Amino acid sequence: MTDNVNNPFTIRAIDLASDNDMRMLNALDEACDRELFGGVQPMTVHERRAALEPSAFADKHRWVAEVRDHKGRPALAGIAMVSMPTQEHLDTATVGLGVHPDWRGHGIGTALAARVQECLTENRRTKVTVYGAVPSGADPRDASLPWNKFARRLGVAARNTATMKTLALPVLPTLLDELAASVPEAGYRLETWINDVPEEHLAEFGVVLRQLELDEPVGGAEKHVQDMPVERVREILQRGRDMGFTSIHTVAFAPDDTMAAQSEIAFKTTPGTTMGYQENTLVMPVHRGHRLGTLVKVTNHRRLAEMAPHLKVLVTGNSDVNVHMNAINEKLGYRPAFTEVMYQS
């Protein structure tokens, strides 16, 4: 399939057995990360393959657009992904798309959208969720934006917006001290786990992850909340390790030893890595009002400074209607990078 004779490309499935495919995917991912976040987190061939391995809880289909670079060598200019749950919500799917900044405007997104639509139709997935990036300052409603064009081709419409933010590192220790001092003493104790969750806490940790999905503000979007049995939690944690990520989990326990809050940061130590991710943060409903969200995040950021001095930027994102978490992130120094639009059918 080509867009014209001057810019040929081929749409094909990813070959998981091909080291060259893994290397080309890494190059594509790094180009997109530099544009969006101003940082990179390089992956090895093994780590990229681990990221693409099948899941026990979802069927995943992926296609790439292969081109030739200026030296005539094969390269990847785009990727589309469809993830379809196999345990629940069997009419839903989540779609992802990435096009290399140098190859936009050549019809690659259109061709990948056609392949995605075929897959959705074949699998009778009628409730589709897509996440797209809109440059900071642009109007997310602008019909000419590439992501809005892609959304129209898939028959989905904007339902919610989130602001993706970046934090320049390191954070001043005095700022973290100030934020920690603002949290009143309420009898909670903290534990920090590196790379894993203790076996005796896996089930409760799954309950917390599910609560995160239940509580996350998503504006006018429909939630498709997944169950989080121990087996799924183990798979999530193992996949992160296989992808080369180090995770920092800080958990707050209430006086009765139940899990009250948690926050996670994930980063890589691969040479050349400059960015990491502030992942999910949640305070369980009955424990809100004690500023536990601030406490677990400050603790994680302190530990990050000790473990990952090579990082220059931390990335996070929150729905624009999530007033409380946005306020915490602003105090930590996170600043807008771009708008993420959530589209649904």
Side-chain angles (χ1 to χ4, degrees):
M1 181 184 297
T2 62
D3 62 324
N4 60 56
V5 294
N6 296 316
N7 295 295
F9 59 85
T10 300
I11 303 297
R12 62 172 178 81
I14 293 172
D15 181 1
L16 270 178
S18 168
D19 285 358
N20 197 44
D21 265 17
M22 301 302 103
R23 283 188 286 268
M24 291 192 295
L25 278 171
N26 286 344
L28 171 62
D29 198 38
E30 288 181 31
C32 292
D33 278 350
R34 284 193 188 94
E35 180 191 41
L36 290 173
F37 307 117
V40 294
Q41 45 178 10
M43 298 183 78
T44 66
V45 165
H46 169 77
E47 290 166 352
R48 177 61 59 182
R49 187 171 285 117
L52 300 173
E53 286 293 336
S55 167
F57 298 93
D59 284 335
K60 299 185 179 183
H61 300 262
R62 304 174 183 87
W63 306 268
V64 290
E66 184 175 307
V67 297
R68 295 283 168 173
D69 66 15
H70 65 284
K71 293 185 178 181
R73 299 169 301 191
L76 298 184
I79 181 172
M81 300 158 282
V82 176
S83 178
M84 298 178 290
T86 57
Q87 306 295 320
E88 70 268 271
H89 306 302
L90 301 183
D91 56 350
T92 69
T94 301
V95 174
L97 174 76
V99 177
H100 195 292
D102 295 341
W103 281 89
R104 290 173 191 158
H106 295 288
I108 288 173
T110 299
L112 288 169
R115 191 60 57 89
V116 167
Q117 189 61 66
E118 290 174 6
C119 177
L120 295 173
T121 300
E122 290 171 2
N123 290 278
R124 299 180 181 180
R125 301 288 168 146
T126 56
K127 296 182 178 180
V128 181
T129 299
V130 184
Y131 294 91
V134 173
S136 184
D139 183 355
R141 298 167 296 181
D142 184 348
S144 67
L145 291 172
W147 270 104
N148 286 333
K149 293 179 181 179
F150 182 74
R152 288 197 298 274
R153 294 185 187 106
L154 292 182
V156 294
R159 306 295 184 194
N160 188 45
T161 58
T163 300
M164 299 299 295
K165 305 179 183 76
T166 57
L167 173 66
L169 297 175
V171 180
L172 289 175
T174 52
L175 173 59
L176 297 177
D177 291 343
E178 179 184 331
L179 290 171
S182 71
V183 179
E185 174 59 43
Y188 292 88
R189 63 179 175 84
L190 300 182
E191 289 190 16
T192 298
W193 305 323
I194 306 301
N195 280 344
D196 207 352
V197 174
E199 183 71 22
E200 65 270 22
H201 294 301
L202 279 173
E204 190 176 14
F205 191 75
V207 172
V208 171
L209 291 182
R210 187 173 189 275
Q211 190 69 43
L212 179 74
E213 292 195 41
L214 286 170
D215 290 353
E216 182 183 11
V218 292
E222 179 182 350
K223 294 183 180 181
H224 305 137
V225 178
Q226 300 179 344
D227 291 330
M228 283 289 172
V230 168
E231 294 76 13
R232 177 172 281 180
V233 176
R234 284 200 186 100
E235 181 185 276
I236 292 170
L237 295 170
Q238 186 62 52
R239 190 179 296 270
R241 291 191 293 268
D242 291 345
M243 290 170 62
F245 282 98
T246 296
S247 61
I248 306 173
H249 296 274
T250 292
V251 177
F253 286 94
D256 64 358
D257 286 332
T258 58
M259 201 174 292
Q262 69 87 33
S263 187
E264 176 188 359
I265 289 177
F267 64 93
K268 295 175 65 65
T269 57
T270 310
T273 297
T274 59
M275 61 177 275
Y277 289 105
Q278 163 61 63
E279 301 281 8
N280 53 73
T281 299
L282 174 78
V283 179
M284 295 296 280
V286 296
H287 297 287
R288 289 169 189 166
H290 300 288
R291 305 203 63 196
L292 293 178
T294 296
L295 186 60
V296 292
K297 292 189 83 158
V298 165
T299 303
N300 263 7
H301 283 69
R302 280 178 171 160
R303 193 64 180 269
L304 181 70
E306 299 170 0
M307 297 181 64
H310 60 287
L311 295 185
K312 304 302 181 185
V313 64
L314 205 59
V315 175
T316 196
N318 298 105
S319 171
D320 291 338
V321 296
N322 192 347
V323 177
H324 181 66
M325 196 56 63
N326 282 320
I328 295 175
N329 287 335
E330 287 173 10
K331 289 178 180 177
L332 279 164
Y334 285 88
R335 297 295 178 260
F338 64 91
T339 298
E340 183 182 74
V341 182
M342 182 183 188
Y343 305 88
Q344 281 187 336
S345 52

